[in-house]
């Protein structure tokens, strides 16, 4: 009841915000008389079968609002004039399609004319946002396999970070409903993937995103899924790299299937499946081993126990309920299964850990639109959704058996899964069945007891489940072509359950960390009202979003309190000569990840290697963003966009010390930072079988110290005993990528040409970026050298290529394609050791590790032992003993163990495919 009262209170106090919804687009234009070029008032313009439309005003102008992305037939009718229709009008999210009509009198035997307006979509003053669009067909023509990979091609995106912010500061919107893994967004994954074949289009908004959506500071990704068509269509494709020679083959198999069409009357269905398996699911371009005894020497490009499967399903029913009502029911299911390679388990890979991440989404969308002939447009959207994400990481009780490539077609059996799901902390006090005690491996080439173990020393069992139900109601009122008002709100009820047990191979009474669990029911509520008013070439948007949040996590004094925040947003845009100028300002907020509300919900959440106390009283994280942008079209089909922005982050979650003990700290809203940037985009639209987009980003992202150990290190004690905290140190954020250049080019030759190259498509993606920052530490790793993130990784360069050739066979299209990633096979450094700033351990590190292992176990190895290696017995006395014989073995074992693997990006990956469209 408290949540419902907060929800209705927010609806009452909300007042105007930015209008564009990022869920639909607009069709606008003028209707004129062909005879005298005068405007025609009262004409009715509608899309499709008349589900949406609008009337022209006295100036002949009309606007059809919030049209879902897709290709439509647009019709106009006026009394005394011939009706005309324009086919193949493409509508995009957050964009305006300009379509003018010239009508002829019924008495004149001439056809009317529909003219697509020439203003570029980048120039529309109705668009205050910074929108980067990805069409569904473009997704299928680029060297990408997921929407996440396509988002990485947009300006300002770095490994899931948007405009320098932390990972997790973005929100995903699927068919108008927000979806976010609020449990561990900053360190986990969404857990849900929509197959690319099911996407009509996607957009990325990095500024001035609509007040309709919250839970985001740095970006908003929207995905519009496909409806079934008016006739049955489908696609099936298979791609693999297994026929390729050694060194090019990582065991990839991928199958995608989609089908859609009418099933019963006007009811339409669309369904899609995307299944992918890789024997090496995270291939690395690491240097091959130098020691010939290393078993990886034979196939250094493949890591053992590193395979993965990904299954993504999507289905959607579109049910017209009369002309003005439509019901859409959709569902998505994803499951990712991974075996996790651990260097310590190199010689017993079947003992390695594994993980499973699954996501489920159900969505009901009911839309009611006003009649196209109504003077005032009115749209009501009711959306109900359910989202769940579950993750587990633990040892397997049985090794996996691959049936085809990396596909097992079976689930993974995890040790202790039943205990974790039941939250059985009492049963978890004893050793967990299936978690084995780690011992030093006897079967390594070196024999000595060091570095390599028979089971993971962590012995971890971590499980979590996040579920939410979401209801939102949106109203859109449009008056004429210049005034739009939108209002609505949403209520979100969530459930969080977690379980963590480390060193599960021994009992808690023997020193193992005790199990930790959490179970609580947060809620969120929001209300908003949006307004946009256009006067000539000047467009004003402004408004306010109100959010409420309560983590409902237990505290010593009772339940946590409900917290409120307001997010005003303003934008002013105008056409100035051939350019459009947009200035925007907004304040955005999101609740913290729920993992920070409880003690040790996850280990190492801030990469400090220690547990932290949770804080149920954490508040909203906020950002305030300013942007000034100029858009222009110097020549037809060529657009330029230049924008400068400043984003101020505040109240970010950080680990704050409670005293001098570095293990005594608590999460708090103690971090703040600034991101400044310049983005330049040059785009030649994809027309006449060719398109090119080039972007350059200059960016600086800095923040205060977020590492508890660094803050502790800077504390000083005066001679009189006072504690002094020196001036706040600012340093680059983890995703402070200063320079980035991305070039995307596409070209095609129509199938109809029938020549040797007819039906050929090509796409090239080239990327260059300066390196990300990292921190140096001492040899033991417990102290930083200098400020955090004071060092830089090398620059990264990749070139990806996609080629497809399609031929017609009757009413079908058969195609073959080649998809190449990292065409030049460049060895990109994506991480380094913090002790020396290099991927490879230096001689001092290796010798120190070998010496420590030797001192821990200097016992001789007799001939009868399985550890005995004849070639190491220099005096052939039946014993490997003494420093001269044992230490070289420890040195070779240390060199083996410290091989750089995940410090390097992917090698060249080539996949061959075939597809059939019908």
């Amino acid at each position: 009841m408290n949540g419902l009262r907060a929800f209705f209170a927010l609806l009452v106090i909300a007042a105007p915000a930015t209008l564009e919804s990022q869920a639909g687009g607009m069709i606008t234009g003028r209707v004129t008389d062909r005879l005298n070029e005068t405007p025609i008032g009262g004409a009715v313009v509608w899309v499709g079968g008349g589900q949406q439309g609008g009337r022209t005003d006295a100036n002949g102008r009309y606007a059809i609002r919030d049209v879902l992305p897709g290709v439509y037939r647009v019709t106009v009718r006026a009394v005394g004039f011939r009706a005309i229709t324009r086919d193949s009008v493409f509508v995009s999210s957050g964009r305006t399609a300009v379509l003018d009509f010239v009508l002829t009198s019924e008495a004149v035997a001439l056809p009317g004319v529909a003219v697509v307006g020439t203003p570029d979509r980048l120039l529309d003053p109705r668009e205050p946002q910074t929108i980067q669009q990805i069409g569904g067909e473009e997704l299928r023509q680029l060297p990408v396999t997921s929407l996440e990979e396509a988002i990485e091609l947009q300006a300002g995106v770095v490994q899931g970070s948007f405009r320098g912010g932390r990972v997790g500061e973005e929100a995903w919107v699927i068919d108008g409903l927000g979806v976010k893994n609020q449990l561990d967004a900053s360190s986990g994954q969404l857990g849900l993937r929509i197959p690319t074949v099911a996407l009509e289009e996607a957009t990325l908004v990095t500024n001035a995103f609509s007040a309709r959506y919250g839970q985001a500071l740095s970006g908003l990704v929207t995905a519009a899924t496909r409806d079934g068509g008016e006739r049955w269509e489908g696609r099936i494709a298979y791609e693999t790299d297994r026929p390729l020679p050694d060194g090019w083959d990582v065991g990839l198999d991928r199958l995608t299937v989609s089908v859609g069409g009418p099933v019963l009357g006007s009811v339409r269905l669309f369904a899609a499946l995307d299944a992918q398996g890789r024997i090496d699911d995270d291939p690395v371009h690491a240097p091959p081993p130098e020691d010939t005894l290393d078993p990886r020497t034979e196939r250094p490009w493949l890591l053992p126990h590193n395979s993965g499967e990904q299954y993504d399903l999507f289905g959607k029913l579109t049910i017209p309920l009369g002309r003005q009502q439509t019901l859409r029911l959709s569902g998505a299911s994803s499951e990712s299964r991974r075996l996790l390679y651990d260097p310590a388990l190199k010689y017993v890979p079947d003992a390695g850990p594994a993980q499973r991440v699954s996501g489920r989404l159900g969505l009901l969308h009911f839309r009611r639109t006003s009649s196209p002939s109504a003077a005032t447009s009115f749209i009501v959207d009711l959306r109900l959704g359910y989202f769940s994400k579950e993750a587990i990481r633990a040892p397997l009780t049985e090794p996996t058996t691959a049936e085809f490539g990396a596909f097992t077609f079976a689930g993974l059996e995890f040790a202790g899964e039943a205990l974790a799901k039941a939250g059985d902390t009492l049963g978890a006090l004893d050793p967990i069945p299936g978690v084995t005690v780690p011992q030093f491996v006897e079967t390594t080439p070196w024999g000595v007891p060091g570095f390599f173990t028979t089971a993971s020393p962590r012995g971890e069992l971590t499980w979590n489940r996040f579920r939410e139900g979401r209801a939102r109601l949106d109203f859109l009122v449009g008056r004429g072509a210049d005034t739009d008002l939108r209002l609505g709100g949403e209520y979100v009820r969530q459930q969080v359950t977690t379980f963590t047990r480390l060193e599960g191979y021994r009992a808690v009474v023997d020193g193992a960390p005790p199990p930790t669990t959490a179970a609580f029911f947060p809620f969120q509520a929001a209300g908003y009202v949006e307004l946009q008013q256009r006067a000539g070439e000047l467009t004003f948007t402004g408004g306010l979003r109100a959010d409420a949040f309560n983590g409902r996590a237990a505290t010593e004094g009772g339940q946590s309190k409900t917290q409120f925040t307001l997010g005003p947003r303003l934008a002013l845009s105008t056409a100035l000569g051939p350019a459009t100028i947009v200035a925007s300002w907004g304040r955005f907020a999101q609740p913290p990840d729920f993992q920070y509300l409880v003690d040790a919900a996850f280990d190492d959440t801030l990469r400090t290697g220690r547990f932290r106390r949770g804080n149920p009283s954490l508040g909203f994280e906020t950002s305030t963003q300013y942007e000034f942008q100029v858009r222009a079209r110097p020549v037809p089909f060529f657009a330029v966009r230049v924008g400068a922005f400043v984003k101020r982050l505040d109240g970010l979650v950080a680990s704050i010390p409670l005293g001098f003990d570095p293990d005594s700290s608590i999460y708090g809203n103690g971090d703040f930072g600034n991101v400044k940037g310049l983005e330049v985009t040059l785009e030649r639209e994809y027309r006449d079988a060719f398109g090119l987009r080039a972007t350059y980003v200059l960016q600086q992202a800095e923040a205060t110290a977020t590492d508890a150990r660094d803050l502790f290190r800077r504390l000083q004690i005066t001679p009189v005993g006072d504690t002094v905290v020196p001036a706040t140190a600012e340093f680059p954020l983890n995703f402070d990528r200063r320079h980035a250049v991305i070039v995307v080019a596409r070209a095609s030759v129509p199938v109809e040409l029938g020549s040797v190259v007819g039906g050929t498509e090509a796409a090239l993606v080239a990327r260059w970026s300066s390196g990300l920052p990292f921190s140096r530490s001492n040899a033991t790793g417990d102290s930083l050298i200098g400020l955090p993130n004071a060092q830089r990784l090398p620059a990264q360069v990749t070139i990806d290529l996609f080629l497809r050739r399609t031929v017609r066979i009757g009413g079908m299209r058969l195609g073959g394609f080649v998809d190449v990633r990292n065409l030049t096979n460049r060895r990109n450094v994506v991480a380094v050791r913090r002790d020396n700033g290099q991927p490879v351990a230096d001689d001092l590190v290796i010798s120190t590790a070998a010496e420590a292992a030797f001192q821990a176990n200097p016992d001789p190895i007799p001939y009868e032992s399985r550890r005995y290696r004849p070639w190491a017995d220099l005096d052939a006395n039946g014993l490997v003993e003494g420093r001269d014989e044992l230490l070289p073995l420890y040195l070779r074992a240390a060199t083996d163990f410290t091989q750089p693997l995940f410090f390097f990006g992917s090698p060249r990956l080539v996949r061959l495919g075939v597809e059939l469209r019908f």
Side-chain angles (χ1 to χ4, degrees), residues 516-843:
T516 60
T517 63
F520 51 99
F521 300 85
F523 79 83
Q524 299 176 51
Y528 70 93
V529 176
E530 302 182 321
L531 176 68
Q532 184 178 79
Q533 182 64 48
R534 187 170 184 177
E537 299 295 342
L538 185 66
T539 302
F540 170 80
T541 58
L544 181 71
R545 177 184 175 90
D547 286 279
F549 155 68
N550 191 324
R552 286 183 174 173
T555 65
E556 294 181 0
Q559 294 293 320
S560 52
K561 297 180 180 180
T562 301
Q563 303 188 56
F564 297 87
T565 186
L566 300 178
R569 298 120 194 252
L570 298 171
L572 189 66
S573 55
T574 185
L576 186 61
T580 295
I581 298 176
V582 182
S584 63
W585 168 83
R587 184 175 185 270
F588 314 107
Q590 70 173 23
D593 284 5
F594 296 148
Q595 63 174 324
Y596 301 128
L597 303 184
V598 295
D599 295 347
F602 289 90
D603 182 30
D604 203 18
T605 51
L606 292 182
R607 297 188 296 276
T608 61
R610 299 183 174 95
F611 289 105
R612 296 286 179 248
R613 287 183 53 188
N615 185 356
S617 299
L618 285 175
F620 284 94
E621 300 178 301
T622 64
S623 73
T624 303
Q625 187 158 321
Y626 311 80
E627 181 156 3
F628 181 80
Q629 188 176 98
V630 178
R631 310 163 184 163
R633 171 186 286 279
V635 296
F637 310 131
F638 184 79
V640 179
R641 184 176 65 206
V642 180
F645 68 90
V646 175
K647 180 171 64 176
R648 302 189 183 280
L649 303 168
D650 197 10
L652 302 183
V653 174
S655 186
I656 302 172
L658 293 176
F660 289 100
D661 181 0
D663 283 320
S664 177
S665 64
I666 189 171
Y667 293 119
N669 295 106
D671 188 20
F672 61 91
N674 294 284
V675 184
K676 304 173 185 178
L678 173 71
E679 295 178 353
V680 179
T681 300
L682 308 176
E683 181 175 11
R684 197 276 187 187
E685 289 184 356
Y686 185 74
R687 292 176 180 268
D688 302 322
F690 177 72
L692 176 69
R693 184 180 75 246
T695 62
Y696 168 70
V697 178
L698 172 65
Q699 182 177 276
Q700 182 183 49
E702 293 185 334
T704 56
T706 57
D707 192 311
R709 290 176 298 170
D710 179 68
L711 185 56
F712 171 76
R713 181 177 62 84
R714 294 189 296 109
L715 292 175
Q716 299 177 4
I717 306 298
T718 66
V720 296
D722 294 332
T723 302
V724 176
V725 179
T728 301
E730 290 191 345
F731 58 91
L733 285 165
N734 286 345
F735 297 96
D736 176 36
R737 175 161 284 172
R738 295 296 171 87
H739 303 275
V741 177
I742 303 175
V743 178
V744 180
R746 289 194 296 152
S748 63
V749 180
V751 177
E752 291 76 10
L753 291 184
S755 63
V756 176
V757 295
T760 300
E761 301 171 351
L764 180 73
V765 176
R767 286 175 279 191
W768 173 89
S769 59
S770 55
L772 295 175
F774 70 93
S775 304
R776 287 289 304 276
S777 68
N778 61 1
T780 59
D782 60 1
S783 298
L784 295 180
I785 299 175
L787 290 176
N789 285 341
Q791 309 294 320
R792 290 274 170 179
L793 295 173
Q796 296 189 31
V797 179
T798 58
I799 298 177
D800 303 332
L801 178 66
F802 183 85
L803 295 172
R804 177 193 281 124
R805 173 76 192 283
T806 304
V807 296
R808 286 186 181 275
I809 303 178
M812 300 182 295
R813 292 191 176 191
L814 177 65
F817 60 88
V818 179
D819 187 341
V820 186
R821 314 291 174 86
N822 192 14
L823 179 65
T824 61
N825 204 30
R826 177 185 170 91
R827 181 169 284 136
N828 287 302
V829 177
V830 298
V832 294
R833 297 177 60 93
R834 295 179 64 175
D835 52 6
N836 64 4
Q838 300 293 327
V840 181
D842 55 35
D843 293 339

Side-chain angles (χ1 to χ4, degrees), residues 443-518:
T443 56
T444 68
W446 334 115
V448 289
F451 306 107
F452 301 100
T453 58
T454 58
S456 173
R458 289 175 57 86
E460 62 183 339
L461 166 60
T462 63
W463 173 85
N464 66 76
R465 182 170 60 196
F466 172 76
R467 293 182 285 186
E468 74 171 24
R470 187 180 295 254
R472 65 174 299 122
L473 186 62
D474 300 291
F475 300 90
L476 172 62
V477 181
R479 184 68 179 175
D482 295 326
T483 303
D484 298 289
L485 176 68
R486 189 188 294 273
L487 71 157
E490 66 178 348
Y491 179 77
V492 187
R493 179 67 182 269
Q494 297 151 326
Q495 180 180 1
V496 177
T497 311
T498 69
F499 182 97
T500 301
R501 171 74 155 90
L502 300 181
E503 299 180 21
Y505 46 81
R506 59 174 175 161
V508 172
V509 295
D510 295 329
T516 60
T517 63

Side-chain angles (χ1 to χ4, degrees), residues 162-398:
F162 297 78
R163 282 190 169 180
R166 189 184 62 217
V167 171
E169 290 181 357
E170 76 285 351
W172 293 75
V173 178
I174 299 176
D175 286 336
L177 189 75
V179 177
K180 185 166 185 176
N181 165 27
Q182 196 68 54
L183 173 60
D184 57 345
S186 62
S187 57
Q189 52 184 299
L190 182 63
L192 183 74
R193 292 201 328 184
I194 304 295
T196 55
V197 293
L199 294 174
E200 184 69 48
E201 72 165 21
T203 59
L204 168 63
V205 182
T206 51
N207 178 57
F209 34 88
S210 171
R212 291 181 66 191
Y213 304 112
Q215 297 177 277
L217 299 184
S218 299
L220 185 69
V221 179
T222 67
T225 61
R226 299 173 61 184
D227 289 341
E230 296 179 354
R231 61 184 183 87
W232 280 99
E233 296 178 332
R235 175 183 183 270
I236 182 169
Y238 171 72
E239 55 191 88
T240 182
D241 66 358
R242 290 199 283 157
L244 297 172
D246 282 351
W248 292 36
D249 172 12
V250 297
L252 166 74
D253 293 284
R254 184 187 180 208
L255 174 70
T256 58
V257 181
S258 66
V259 64
V263 291
L264 182 63
S266 57
V267 177
R268 291 170 291 165
L269 167 71
F270 182 85
L273 163 69
D274 190 332
Q276 177 176 280
R278 292 205 292 186
I279 294 175
D280 190 346
D281 201 37
D282 189 13
V284 295
H285 196 18
E290 296 180 357
D291 198 317
T292 56
L293 293 182
D294 192 318
R296 281 193 60 242
T297 303
E298 296 183 7
R299 306 186 77 190
W301 62 91
L302 283 178
L303 291 180
H305 199 77
N306 204 43
S307 64
E309 302 171 79
Q310 176 78 40
Y311 299 92
D312 302 309
L313 291 167
F314 176 80
K316 185 177 186 180
L317 276 176
T318 304
I319 309 172
L321 304 175
R323 176 169 290 186
Q324 260 57 66
Q325 295 85 227
T326 305
L327 177 66
R328 290 177 171 87
L329 303 173
S330 57
S333 175
S334 294
E335 183 161 299
S336 171
R337 306 167 187 166
R338 277 290 312 274
L339 303 182
L340 303 174
Y341 174 76
D342 186 340
L345 305 177
K346 177 177 180 178
Y347 295 97
V348 284
D350 289 343
Q355 73 176 22
R356 181 182 65 233
V357 180
S358 59
R360 307 287 185 269
L361 175 68
L363 173 62
L364 179 151
H365 177 201
F366 173 78
R367 166 166 284 206
R368 172 72 166 87
T369 62
S370 58
S371 170
S373 60
T376 299
S377 299
F378 188 77
I379 300 176
V380 180
D381 287 294
L382 171 65
R383 292 178 174 90
L384 303 175
Y386 171 80
F387 170 64
S388 69
K389 179 247 181 183
E390 181 177 321
I392 183 172
R393 185 171 68 248
L396 294 176
T397 57
E398 296 290 339

